[in-house]
Amino acid sequence: MCSSDLGANGQGGDGPKLAGNTDLKNGGGVASQILQGAVEHGMPPFADVLKDGQIAAITTFVMNSWGNSFGVFTPEQVASMRGGR
């Protein structure tokens, strides 16, 4: 993650505020953002770069950092989002 976009403490910047962001409860939304990226905001897609376990670990980190505590996102959930590949 780029601290210039999200802020070193998740406070936001060019990107969204992550600290205290209840939208992060939706791990599928977080993982989708990582998989598909947001090219218009300078975030490339990582679907072809990272494995399911890596996407799940990043998703879980985002869901549980900056004062958030929203549980675990699994590699199996990422695989399901990819269509089981």
Side-chain angles (χ1 to χ4, degrees):
M1 265 180 267
C2 184
S3 64
S4 66
D5 289 337
L6 302 174
N9 297 308
Q11 75 273 16
D14 292 336
K17 176 183 173 188
L18 299 179
N21 185 337
T22 58
D23 290 339
L24 299 179
K25 287 180 187 179
N26 177 5
V30 176
S32 179
Q33 187 74 40
I34 297 165
L35 287 164
Q36 298 173 8
V39 179
E40 67 279 6
H41 297 288
M43 181 179 170
F46 290 96
D48 294 333
V49 179
L50 299 175
K51 297 177 181 176
D52 294 347
Q54 293 170 308
I55 299 285
I58 295 166
T59 300
T60 297
F61 174 81
V62 170
M63 292 172 65
N64 293 287
S65 296
W66 307 289
N68 300 315
S69 182
F70 298 126
V72 175
F73 204 79
T74 68
E76 293 78 17
Q77 289 172 290
V78 176
S80 176
M81 293 177 70
R82 294 188 197 247
R85 64 174 173 127

